């Protein structure tokens, strides 16, 4: 639902590590992983946004992490599923089951697999819209460390701390996802009124004390995360409908559904976070202003290079949180997406969701292993690179080294099984004078000739061992 926009956005220049990272992983894991249900066999999210009303979209929400909201819509597939499988069980009851299954998680297995696949940073959902804290908050007992379950005595009960520490040891930069809306909080969804949709269910201007209580609650939780969990590199704030009313873009359909002021006081939050974590990147998604340090197109890749920092968050399957037998993208599709994103100057934040016990479907590890094999051969063309014109020309995509002395040209083919052609013709960037050329992953010398601004190369039979792409590296 997020569209990249450069209008009226003031942002800091992201640090070098973010520009050089290119590839990260985001993990949705929580009580919603227990029912693990969302409608299947419906169009993808992008198609739904373009072809259906917002009412239909929310009733047929394809993301399982929205289960707690979807089950309240009486005509939704999730409500029907819940009645059949769980009867009168409340959404909050799933937290009890989740706390028992979560203690089996092997976070080191995640970190090893992600590192081998080339990911440089990880973003963990510390709290989604359902309000369940995956960290040891003192603001609520609706949390992973609640004393009401035996798991609270487990030394690894604070799974956010366990995940952050494990990934830091593997060299990852750390991001904390946090939802500004909280459907469990009585100061957001006040029990005095029935919830109408995903928004606050009362008018904060009419009940300022109630809203101020929620603002303090949110501030305190974010203070805990940025104070008690070591070095944090990104604060990734979701739930863009919690925003100052004057920032609503009436040209964006979903923003027109925001009917009341929901100013959470981002200046106070952002100043606190920067004091606790100097240099932290703050991403107040979809809210133009100084706290949206980069934009985050969702399930989409911009058609052209952007003049502002950006990161596409895209699921490996269909849902952001776990559903059994999800439709996982092929390794070729994932690699093609990575290439398209970095050629346009962005970062690829790929979502992979574990099941309630903290493990991934075997196919996820297969995909990561296949990506790892490709990264091993081609990482010099991927990481610490910059976009360069023409960015994209037919089936060719371009990156360059930071010093501009090396240009990388990726040849892709949308066919299901990539086969490298015997001959390739492509243009080189203006004023680039190549002196040497090689194809990454091939040991044989490559025959090539330059005519004007074009290069023709002839590939040996050895090309048949190339998977997913042909990556040509030229140096001047």
């Amino acid at each position: 639902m997020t569209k990249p926009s450069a209008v009226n956005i003031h942002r800091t220049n992201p640090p070098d590590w973010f520009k050089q990272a290119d590839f990260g992983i985001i993990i949705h894991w929580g009580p919603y992983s227990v029912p693990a249900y969302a409608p299947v066999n419906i169009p993808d999210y992008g198609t739904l946004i373009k072809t259906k009303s917002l009412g239909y979209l929310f009733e047929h929400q394809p993301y399982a992490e929205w289960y707690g909201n979807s089950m309240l819509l009486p005509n939704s597939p999730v409500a029907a599923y819940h009645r059949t499988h769980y009867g009168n069980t409340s959404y909050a009851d799933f937290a009890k089951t989740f706390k028992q299954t979560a203690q089996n998680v092997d976070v080191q297995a995640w970190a090893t697999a992600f590192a081998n696949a080339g990911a440089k940073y990880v973003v963990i959902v510390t709290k989604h819209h359902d309000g369940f804290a995956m960290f040891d908050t003192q603001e609520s007992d609706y949390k992973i460390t609640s004393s009401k379950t035996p798991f609270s005595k487990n030394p690894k009960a604070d799974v956010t701390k366990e995940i952050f520490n494990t990934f830091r040891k593997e060299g990852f930069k750390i991001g904390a996802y946090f939802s500004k809306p909280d459907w469990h909080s009585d100061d957001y969804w006040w029990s005095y009124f029935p919830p109408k949709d995903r928004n606050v269910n009362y008018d904060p201007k009419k009940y300022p004390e109630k809203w101020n209580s929620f603002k303090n609650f949110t501030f305190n939780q974010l203070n805990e995360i940025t104070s008690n969990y070591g070095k944090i590199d990104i604060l990734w704030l979701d739930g863009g409908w919690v925003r100052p009313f004057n920032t609503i873009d009436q040209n964006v359909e979903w923003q027109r559904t925001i009917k009341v002021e929901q100013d959470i006081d981002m200046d106070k939050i952002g100043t606190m976070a920067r004091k606790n974590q100097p240099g932290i990147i703050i991403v107040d998604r979809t809210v133009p202003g100084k706290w949206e340090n980069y934009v985050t197109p969702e399930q989409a890749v911009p058609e052209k290079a952007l003049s502002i920092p950006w990161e596409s968050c895209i699921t490996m399957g269909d849902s952001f949180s776990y559903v059994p037998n999800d439709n996982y993208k092929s390794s070729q599709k994932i690699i093609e997406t990575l290439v398209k994103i970095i050629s346009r100057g962005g970062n690829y934040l790929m979502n992979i969701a574990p099941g309630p016990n903290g493990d991934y479907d075997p196919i996820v590890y297969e995909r990561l292993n296949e990506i790892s094999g490709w990264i091993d051969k081609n990482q010099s063309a991927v990481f610490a690179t910059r976009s360069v014109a023409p960015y994209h020309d037919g089936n060719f995509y371009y990156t360059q080294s930071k010093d501009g002395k090396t240009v990388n040209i990726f040849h892709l083919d949308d066919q299901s099984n990539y086969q490298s052609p015997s001959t390739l013709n492509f243009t080189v960037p203006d004023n680039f004078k190549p002196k040497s050329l090689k194809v990454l992953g091939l040991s044989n010398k490559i025959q090539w000739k330059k005519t004007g601004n074009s290069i023709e190369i002839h590939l040996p039979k050895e090309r048949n061992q190339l998977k997913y792409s042909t990556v040509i590296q030229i140096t001047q």
Side-chain angles (χ1 to χ4, degrees), residues 98 160 373:
F98 178 71
T160 291

Side-chain angles (χ1 to χ4, degrees), residues 131-145:
F132 183 80
M134 294 287 286
F135 61 101
D136 188 27
T137 182
Q138 302 307 302
E139 296 296 309
S140 167
D141 198 45
Y142 192 52
K143 59 181 179 178
I144 190 72
T145 54

Side-chain angles (χ1 to χ4, degrees), residues 21-37:
D22 294 304
F23 185 35
I25 303 290
I26 183 170
I27 300 172
H28 285 68
W29 188 45
Y32 40 78
S33 306
V34 176
Y37 176 80

Side-chain angles (χ1 to χ4, degrees), residues 327-396:
N327 298 311
Y328 291 106
K329 296 173 178 66
S330 67
S331 297
Q332 180 166 317
K333 179 65 175 177
I334 292 167
I335 288 166
E336 288 172 355
T337 302
L338 174 62
V339 169
K340 291 174 182 179
I341 288 172
I342 63 174
S343 72
R344 294 164 192 169
N347 281 15
Y348 183 9
L349 186 63
M350 181 170 67
N351 182 89
I352 321 177
N357 65 352
D359 202 6
Y360 286 98
D361 285 342
I363 193 171
V364 170
Y365 290 109
E366 290 176 19
R367 295 287 189 269
L368 293 171
N369 187 55
E370 290 166 349
I371 295 167
S372 174
W374 185 86
I375 287 289
D376 284 346
K377 295 180 176 66
N378 300 295
Q379 57 186 308
S380 64
V382 174
F383 301 113
T385 58
R386 301 288 187 268
S387 59
V388 59
Y391 311 109
H392 167 213
D393 183 13
N395 286 337
F396 296 96

